Amino acid sequence: MVGPCYRACVAIVAFIRPGWRTALGAFALACGSGVPLHAQDGDPALRLRPQAAEQQASTQGDPWLSHWWTAFDDPLLTRLVETGVAADPELALPTEQAARGGSGRKLGGRKRSGRADEAERHAALYERAQKQAEKAERIARAYFKVRATQQHMAVARESLESQQENIKVASLRFRAGLAPAYDANFARTQSATTAAALGEVEAEFQRDIARLAELTRIDAQPLREAFGTHVPTLAAPPLPPEDQSGIVALRRADLLALEQRLSARLMRDGVAQADIDAAMAGQVAAPSDDVAEALASYEDRLSGARADVAVALETANAAQKRVATLERAVESARVALGDTRMAYNSGLDRFVSVYVAENALFEVRQAIVAAQRTHMEALIRYFTALGGGWRIEQPRSGTPAPARNETGARDE
């Protein structure tokens, strides 16, 4: 199921190489295997069958979770994530035999074996979805690293211009007999130090571009041009509703894959589907120690996923507060620099005050860029910890199955 926003992005992507088609859609929460989904106790989507679970989840925050990178409202980020995932051959759809784990068994055998094969095939598809999620996260992190480095360069260049102006003022005051010669030397030293720092950041920018080019399989030169010279502020999107964490079991591709693998193994061990359903729903005790152990393993992973969500949210909130604190500090530093420069030009203060104020503003501006990047990375981690509202693509054999449009109806 590919959304209209995604179709539009694909249509305008200049980077996609011929022959590649995007592998990203809004992946399914489940496929029609009949293997039950495991959800949080007390959740309204508890133990729903795949189609019902998908319908339930589709109403709970998809703008953030289906394609979380679009929440940043950054067309370049969207193109890079979707292009990079689509162009990765390691994320291609598995063959049916590979999706069955190489078992070679056909789906038309005994009923129990066939259902186990189906669950293994779906697990393989969810595992692929998880790899796509991890690739999208790496690309987004690399993207914001480039943007942060761009901002560091912009700060250094603006500071360099200000310091060049300080050299002129100090030199004029020295020639007028209003200031000592070391004022201009102070200004020149500060300017040279900033110029050296700018050179280091420019080299870092080239390395960041190379890393992003490797992840997205886009040539570095057009990628560098795509970033342009305008440096946008790293603006944080709104967070999803906190109740999203309640359906993490229906969102996380890694959890869905694990559940499918466990169900397949239990069925192959002779456990009836009805017994698996009842045990997973907590309606009856596990029919054997093996089933109890398997369910306990899954519950541990589910608990860990919920903990990931809680920690990621806390980290994102803390990062946002730090950015707000530094924003106030930047404004104070600007005012201090303006006041000290005015006092120096009026002969009421020494240049060392301007020197200190200039350095303070430079440092706090660099600090806020780093804090904004940390905030973006924390948000990325929160989105990916919640999961994705997946719609998995099925490997095709024989006659392709009809695609489904946004409403779920078959496309002719």
Side-chain angles (χ1 to χ4, degrees):
M1 182 176 71
V2 180
C5 175
Y6 178 50
R7 292 195 184 98
C9 290
V10 171
I12 64 174
V13 171
F15 303 131
I16 294 181
R17 294 180 176 138
W20 286 108
R21 292 186 63 189
T22 181
L24 275 183
F27 295 93
L29 285 163
C31 36
S33 66
V35 178
L37 290 175
H38 185 68
Q40 179 182 3
D41 289 338
D43 192 285
L46 186 65
R47 323 303 180 205
L48 292 176
R49 286 295 183 182
Q51 296 86 348
E54 180 179 335
Q55 182 179 8
Q56 167 76 14
S58 67
T59 64
Q60 304 209 23
D62 272 354
W64 291 279
L65 295 178
S66 290
H67 298 89
W68 55 260
W69 49 89
T70 63
F72 289 90
D73 196 24
D74 188 326
L76 180 57
L77 171 62
T78 297
R79 296 204 306 270
L80 292 178
V81 169
E82 296 176 351
T83 300
V85 174
D88 192 335
E90 295 182 359
L91 301 180
L93 281 170
T95 63
E96 290 210 30
Q97 181 172 346
R100 292 196 302 268
S103 67
R105 285 183 289 266
K106 295 182 179 180
L107 298 182
R110 293 183 300 114
K111 181 177 180 181
R112 179 175 296 166
S113 178
R115 297 185 74 179
D117 287 342
E118 187 81 350
E120 287 181 349
R121 184 168 65 88
H122 292 154
L125 295 172
Y126 279 127
E127 287 162 358
R128 168 178 170 267
Q130 180 63 23
K131 291 179 180 178
Q132 290 177 322
E134 292 166 358
K135 181 65 177 286
E137 181 176 357
R138 290 196 299 274
I139 292 173
R141 286 177 179 272
Y143 172 81
F144 283 114
K145 176 64 168 66
V146 174
R147 284 301 191 196
T149 305
Q150 271 192 309
Q151 287 195 327
H152 284 305
M153 286 193 299
V155 170
R157 286 168 180 158
E158 291 175 15
S159 296
L160 193 58
E161 291 178 3
S162 178
Q163 292 160 13
Q164 291 290 331
E165 188 64 27
N166 290 342
I167 294 173
K168 294 178 183 178
V169 172
S171 298
L172 286 173
R173 288 182 58 78
F174 168 69
R175 287 195 291 270
L178 300 174
Y182 58 71
D183 280 3
N185 290 332
F186 257 141
R188 292 188 186 97
T189 300
Q190 186 179 46
S191 177
T193 301
T194 302
L198 175 59
E200 293 176 0
V201 177
E202 288 173 339
E204 183 179 0
F205 177 74
Q206 299 304 324
R207 292 191 295 270
D208 292 343
I209 286 289
R211 171 59 177 159
L212 188 55
E214 179 183 2
L215 284 169
T216 57
R217 298 176 182 265
I218 298 169
D219 293 337
Q221 183 57 38
L223 182 58
R224 190 180 300 111
E225 293 172 357
F227 275 87
T229 56
H230 172 67
V231 186
T233 302
L234 300 183
L239 291 178
E242 291 190 20
D243 61 1
Q244 288 294 318
S245 61
I247 56 172
V248 66
L250 300 179
R251 294 281 191 188
R252 288 272 293 260
D254 58 336
L255 293 174
L256 293 168
L258 176 61
E259 183 183 11
Q260 298 282 308
R261 292 286 185 203
L262 289 175
S263 294
R265 180 170 70 82
L266 294 175
M267 283 188 282
R268 294 200 192 287
D269 288 344
V271 182
Q273 179 66 58
D275 291 336
I276 297 174
D277 290 353
M280 295 187 82
Q283 297 170 353
V284 299
S288 69
D289 291 343
D290 286 345
V291 174
E293 181 180 352
L295 293 179
S297 174
Y298 177 83
E299 289 293 344
D300 287 345
R301 285 283 296 275
L302 180 57
S303 296
R306 292 180 185 138
D308 286 346
V309 171
V311 170
L313 178 59
E314 183 179 350
T315 302
N317 287 335
Q320 184 178 33
K321 291 178 181 178
R322 175 169 169 76
V323 169
T325 299
L326 287 171
E327 286 174 345
R328 294 190 293 269
V330 167
E331 184 59 29
S332 297
R334 289 188 190 279
V335 172
L337 177 58
D339 291 345
T340 54
R341 182 174 285 130
M342 183 181 299
Y344 176 70
N345 293 345
S346 303
L348 301 176
D349 205 347
R350 299 175 299 166
F351 179 77
V352 68
S353 296
V354 178
Y355 180 91
V356 170
E358 193 85 59
N359 278 346
L361 178 59
F362 178 77
E363 293 296 333
V364 76
R365 290 187 68 194
Q366 295 286 32
I368 197 172
V369 171
Q372 288 170 339
R373 177 192 165 196
T374 298
H375 188 205
M376 297 300 105
E377 291 183 341
L379 290 173
I380 291 169
R381 180 59 198 145
Y382 180 53
F383 290 139
T384 54
L386 284 172
W390 306 102
R391 176 171 293 284
I392 57 181
E393 297 180 30
Q394 309 250 1
R396 296 178 178 180
S397 62
T399 303
R404 292 182 181 272
N405 60 26
E406 283 293 302
T407 63
R410 294 180 181 272
D411 293 330
E412 299 300 330

